[in-house]
Amino acid sequence: MAPSSVVVTIENPRSISLVEVNDLNSPSAFRDKNKAANPKRFTKVLLLKAQRTLGCIPWLANNLFTTFASVKKRIALSDERDEEPKYRGKLYRFIRVFLAISVAALFIEIFAYFNQWHLNLVNPWEVQSLLQWTYMAWISFRADYIAPTLATLTSFCIVLFLIQSVDRLVLCLGCFWMKLRKIKPIINEDASDPEGGSYFPMVLVQIPMCNEKEVFAQSIGAVCQLDWPKDRMLVQVLDDSDDEVLQQMIRNECLSWKEKGVNIIYRHRFIRTGYKAGNLKSAMACDYVQDYEFVAIFDADFQPNPDFLKLTVPHFKGKPDVGLVQARWTFVNQDENLLTRLQNINLCFHFEVEQQVNGHYLNFFGFNGTAGVWRIKALEESGGWLERTTVEDMDIAVRAHLYGWKFIYVNDVRALCELPESYEAYKKQQHRWHSGPMQLFRLCLPSILKSKISVWKKANMIFLFFLLRKLILPFYSFTLFCIILPLTMFIPEAELPPWVICYVPIVMSILNILPSPKSFPFLMPYLLFENTMSVTKFNAMVSGLFQLGSSYEWVVTKKSGRSSESDLLAFAERESKNMNEEKISRRLSESGLELYGKIKEHEEVPKKKKANKIYRKELALAFLLLTAAARSLLSAQGIHFYYLLFQGLTFLIVGLDLIGEQVS
């Protein structure tokens, strides 16, 4: 046998037991066989792919059928009372009137198109029909009077759009420069420690909450496991819940950690005014607070890592002018559905770019309300927590900046939290986030103008922080893309250029997605959804600017109580029913059986079922944009048609509440 031979033994006795191949270096023995096999193999691959494609058709058909059935049921069960009046109001009536006029104009344009009425090129004395003369008069009137006014408004919005785009580009360039030069906040290791040892100042940790049944246990557990000397940390659980059973459950949770050696206090207000600001203000009024130098704040759905304080508090060391250290948020449910994915894009840009750039170059940014550590002296000198707006976090940040305090943002320190999973919760959150800044702007403008900070800082706060990013952005987004664009389809003399509709928005969306590169497949959904949310943000901005009633309402964002895998493992034992029953029987002054019966009775009370809603304002805008898309077909406007079509469909999906959590 040759040295290069290969022996293959086959254990089947009926088969050949020995196979010799004397020349392995020459593939000629298999070439003919491969040539014959390749076409067959290629055919099998094609057939397999075709089979998989055909197998998707029943799945797709079933999903479409299920979606249409749920939409039909949703529409049948919808009631105008389901959607709160503050989310409709005068803007909704305006959109309905605009829609009715647009539908009527579309029918007239279609009639004129098929009758080939190109009357703008015809001598008025040659028109014989009264209907034709009326149509020609309308064309002349819109060209002479309406089009110039609309063109002026369009130019104004385009200028605002370009200014905001430049601002976004500058922020991205600043972030890129920080990444390139590896610029990060530095802890002052050389600063002297008066105690001569490790830097462990007295820290107060506050957890404000209100009816947070789903998340209170994991939040309290995460805070109580912070790696900080127990004798130099106090945890305040600030419970504003109006449910007595829930209050007792939270009190029990605090007692369980107190037994483990954690310095923790449960506080409940009898007079619950001022929402979160009132809760924090009441807690800071306690006598023992004067013994603490810093206060860390975490909302009820936040779960900081054990090393959170060790990574944030040292940034105050040797820097007496630093009033706030803000950490970044990360999300346990960012991949839950399309809505959470789109929110993640926005918030990644906010933290990675806006907060980081403003923190480094300006030492000022808006406090995010949670996952931050304040110097208590900065809070006190700035006037403490005020109840005058629904954005108490931004309020205290602005006042502290006016008093000369500096802020530090640490992008590497992160706290886990939740994103709203339903469109209803997200919409209410965005309404508060965009109405509050306008309330604050009205109240703070005199103080900003009278403050002793530099002219540059005043200009930055007024024109960039408030006007450009809080007022101009929702104004031009809604006005330009939801009102002016469909209007120009019926008044073609004031047509929007394609680069405004398509090219620049896509570039800006790409810049927004850069901090979360895994979200690039969602570029177009993100662009369309942001324009869809402009109606909510515009409505909120107007209500806050003009002190409408809805701007002062605080709605707690609904939580689902999701935890990361590590959290589930850490809290599984404490959250089990057996442990809860043991806590009840051991700790309460009243009998354990009595409270246990209350909890069981509370669980058996029929609750209002969650259900998806119909949002009429979004639906009205959907039909308005689809009507304008149909009109653009008559003018053969390609980009305008596709934009209006897909934007209208996006409004339709959002209006039918098909984007977030779906309740079966």
Side-chain angles (χ1 to χ4, degrees):
M1 186 180 294
S4 60
S5 299
V6 175
V7 178
V8 180
T9 303
I10 303 176
E11 295 182 356
N12 190 344
R14 296 183 180 180
S15 305
I16 300 172
S17 61
L18 185 64
V19 177
E20 284 193 22
V21 180
N22 293 322
D23 190 3
L24 292 177
N25 296 326
S26 177
S28 59
F30 301 100
R31 189 176 297 154
D32 295 336
K33 184 177 179 180
N34 287 338
K35 285 183 178 179
N38 283 338
K40 292 182 180 179
R41 189 178 304 157
F42 182 69
T43 304
K44 287 182 179 179
V45 171
L46 287 180
L47 290 174
L48 182 61
K49 289 186 177 181
Q51 182 183 6
R52 290 178 179 176
T53 304
L54 292 174
C56 292
I57 294 177
W59 173 83
L60 183 62
N62 181 58
N63 282 348
L64 287 175
F65 177 79
T66 304
T67 302
F68 283 125
S70 63
V71 168
K72 182 179 178 181
K73 184 178 180 180
R74 199 170 296 172
I75 294 174
L77 297 177
S78 66
D79 188 347
E80 283 204 7
R81 291 171 296 181
D82 291 342
E83 189 177 0
E84 299 174 23
K86 67 180 178 185
Y87 299 119
R88 297 196 305 268
K90 295 181 180 180
L91 182 60
Y92 175 57
R93 290 193 290 271
F94 167 76
I95 295 172
R96 285 201 307 177
V97 172
F98 191 10
L99 173 61
I101 296 173
S102 299
V103 171
L106 176 62
F107 281 113
I108 295 173
E109 294 290 347
I110 292 175
F111 183 80
Y113 178 81
F114 283 104
N115 284 277
Q116 299 182 351
W117 287 358
H118 305 295
L119 301 182
N120 53 332
L121 303 177
V122 178
N123 191 321
W125 302 108
E126 296 178 4
V127 178
Q128 298 179 353
S129 169
L130 179 61
L131 186 60
Q132 292 180 356
W133 186 89
T134 304
Y135 182 70
M136 188 185 67
W138 156 246
I139 292 178
S140 177
F141 177 79
R142 81 183 187 194
D144 294 339
Y145 298 100
I146 299 180
T149 304
L150 183 60
T152 302
L153 179 60
T154 301
S155 300
F156 176 68
C157 288
I158 290 176
V159 170
L160 297 180
F161 173 52
L162 292 176
I163 292 174
Q164 197 273 334
S165 300
V166 171
D167 173 62
R168 189 61 53 97
L169 180 61
V170 170
L171 286 173
C172 290
L173 291 176
C175 182
F176 174 75
W177 180 254
M178 292 182 66
K179 295 289 184 183
L180 184 64
R181 301 300 298 267
K182 298 181 180 179
I183 299 174
K184 293 181 180 180
I186 300 174
I187 296 176
N188 189 357
E189 299 290 350
D190 299 330
S192 59
D193 186 358
E195 297 186 2
S198 299
Y199 186 64
F200 291 114
M202 299 289 285
V203 177
L204 178 68
V205 184
Q206 297 178 330
I207 314 176
M209 59 180 65
C210 180
N211 298 325
E212 307 277 5
K213 181 179 180 181
E214 296 81 6
V215 294
F216 74 88
Q218 62 196 41
S219 177
I220 294 174
V223 168
C224 289
Q225 295 182 69
L226 288 172
D227 187 8
W228 201 257
K230 300 301 181 184
D231 60 336
R232 306 193 70 80
M233 181 181 76
L234 172 65
V235 179
Q236 280 185 322
V237 178
L238 312 177
D239 180 26
D240 262 3
S241 304
D242 55 9
D243 187 332
E244 292 184 2
V245 176
L246 179 57
Q247 293 171 21
Q248 192 62 61
M249 293 169 66
I250 298 173
R251 188 180 290 110
N252 289 339
E253 188 69 23
C254 295
L255 287 173
S256 69
W257 285 104
K258 193 175 187 65
E259 290 178 357
K260 295 177 182 179
V262 177
N263 193 10
I264 185 171
I265 293 176
Y266 173 86
R267 282 180 52 85
H268 177 76
R269 294 191 300 162
F270 292 101
I271 303 177
R272 295 176 287 109
T273 59
Y275 303 113
K276 182 180 176 181
N279 199 358
L280 293 171
K281 181 179 180 181
S282 173
M284 294 299 293
C286 297
D287 294 336
Y288 53 79
V289 172
Q290 63 185 359
D291 298 329
Y292 294 84
E293 187 177 357
F294 303 104
V295 56
I297 302 172
F298 298 99
D299 282 350
D301 61 317
F302 275 72
Q303 303 167 51
N305 292 327
D307 60 354
F308 182 90
L309 292 179
K310 287 188 174 181
L311 295 176
T312 53
V313 174
H315 283 281
F316 291 99
K317 189 177 180 181
K319 302 173 185 176
D321 57 346
V322 173
L324 167 67
V325 175
Q326 172 71 58
R328 181 173 178 170
W329 302 357
T330 54
F331 311 104
V332 67
N333 60 339
Q334 64 185 36
D335 297 324
E336 183 64 25
N337 54 45
L338 179 60
L339 179 61
T340 57
R341 291 177 186 271
L342 300 179
Q343 291 178 66
N344 181 59
I345 295 173
N346 261 342
L347 290 170
C348 281
F349 182 86
H350 170 69
F351 286 106
E352 187 81 19
V353 180
E354 291 181 341
Q355 297 290 75
Q356 192 167 209
V357 171
N358 290 328
H360 174 69
Y361 292 102
L362 302 175
N363 295 122
F364 168 70
F365 48 80
F367 174 46
N368 293 117
T370 178
V373 182
W374 277 94
R375 190 188 295 272
I376 293 180
K377 182 180 179 182
L379 289 177
E380 293 173 347
E381 285 190 359
S382 305
W385 299 103
L386 299 182
E387 307 169 13
R388 56 183 182 173
T389 71
T390 57
V391 284
E392 74 295 325
D393 45 8
M394 186 181 294
D395 189 358
I396 187 64
V398 169
R399 286 184 283 116
H401 183 61
L402 295 180
Y403 276 87
W405 290 99
K406 295 181 180 180
F407 302 163
I408 292 177
Y409 173 75
V410 282
N411 194 56
D412 296 333
V413 183
R414 310 189 176 197
L416 197 66
C417 63
E418 284 189 21
L419 290 167
E421 295 182 6
S422 68
Y423 179 67
E424 177 187 12
Y426 179 63
K427 183 174 182 176
K428 290 179 179 179
Q429 180 197 69
Q430 292 300 303
H431 187 275
R432 177 168 58 86
W433 283 6
H434 286 81
S435 65
M438 289 297 97
Q439 304 171 24
L440 183 61
F441 178 65
R442 293 178 52 262
L443 296 171
C444 285
L445 183 59
S447 300
I448 295 172
L449 295 174
K450 295 176 183 178
S451 66
K452 298 180 181 179
I453 61 175
S454 65
V455 176
W456 156 245
K457 289 185 176 180
K458 290 181 181 180
N460 168 72
M461 185 172 287
I462 294 174
F463 295 107
L464 292 181
F465 184 75
F466 277 115
L467 291 182
L468 183 59
R469 297 167 189 166
K470 304 297 187 296
L471 187 148
I472 290 176
L473 178 58
F475 171 78
Y476 87 75
S477 296
F478 174 73
T479 307
L480 190 61
F481 296 108
C482 298
I483 300 298
I484 292 178
L485 178 58
L487 194 58
T488 57
M489 295 300 101
F490 299 96
I491 307 175
E493 293 85 358
E495 180 182 351
L496 278 175
W499 59 268
V500 174
I501 301 169
C502 181
Y503 307 134
V504 175
I506 288 178
V507 172
M508 291 299 105
S509 297
I510 291 174
L511 292 179
N512 277 19
I513 289 182
L514 284 178
S516 53
K518 292 183 180 179
S519 302
F520 262 97
F522 303 97
L523 174 64
M524 294 312 297
Y526 170 74
L527 171 61
L528 296 171
F529 180 70
E530 279 302 291
N531 288 335
T532 304
M533 285 304 301
S534 66
V535 60
T536 297
K537 297 175 181 179
F538 175 82
N539 193 33
M541 179 269 292
V542 172
S543 67
L545 190 61
F546 296 102
Q547 304 186 70
L548 302 182
S550 62
S551 63
Y552 289 92
E553 183 175 1
W554 179 295
V555 180
V556 178
T557 305
K558 294 180 181 178
K559 315 293 192 311
S560 61
R562 299 185 185 276
S563 299
S564 63
E565 186 176 351
S566 59
D567 296 321
L568 291 173
L569 292 174
F571 299 129
E573 182 180 355
R574 294 188 301 101
E575 291 182 346
S576 64
K577 279 189 175 181
N578 293 334
M579 287 294 293
N580 284 334
E581 292 171 11
E582 290 176 11
K583 291 175 189 176
I584 292 171
S585 62
R586 283 189 291 111
R587 297 186 193 110
L588 295 182
S589 56
E590 58 182 336
S591 87
L593 289 176
E594 183 180 350
L595 180 60
Y596 183 73
K598 283 185 178 182
I599 294 177
K600 288 295 184 183
E601 182 181 348
H602 182 264
E603 292 176 350
E604 293 173 359
V605 173
K607 297 180 180 179
K608 185 179 179 181
K609 293 183 178 180
K610 293 172 61 177
N612 295 98
K613 297 183 178 181
I614 297 293
Y615 298 97
R616 289 169 174 79
K617 191 183 301 177
E618 284 79 355
L619 287 179
L621 277 168
F623 294 126
L624 172 63
L625 294 174
L626 293 174
T627 301
R631 172 61 183 86
S632 69
L633 284 176
L634 304 181
S635 305
Q637 295 172 317
I639 293 180
H640 297 73
F641 166 73
Y642 288 114
Y643 172 82
L644 289 166
L645 174 64
F646 289 116
Q647 189 64 70
L649 292 176
T650 305
F651 267 106
L652 185 63
I653 291 171
V654 172
L656 294 173
D657 201 3
L658 295 173
I659 189 171
E661 180 185 18
Q662 300 300 301
V663 181
S664 58

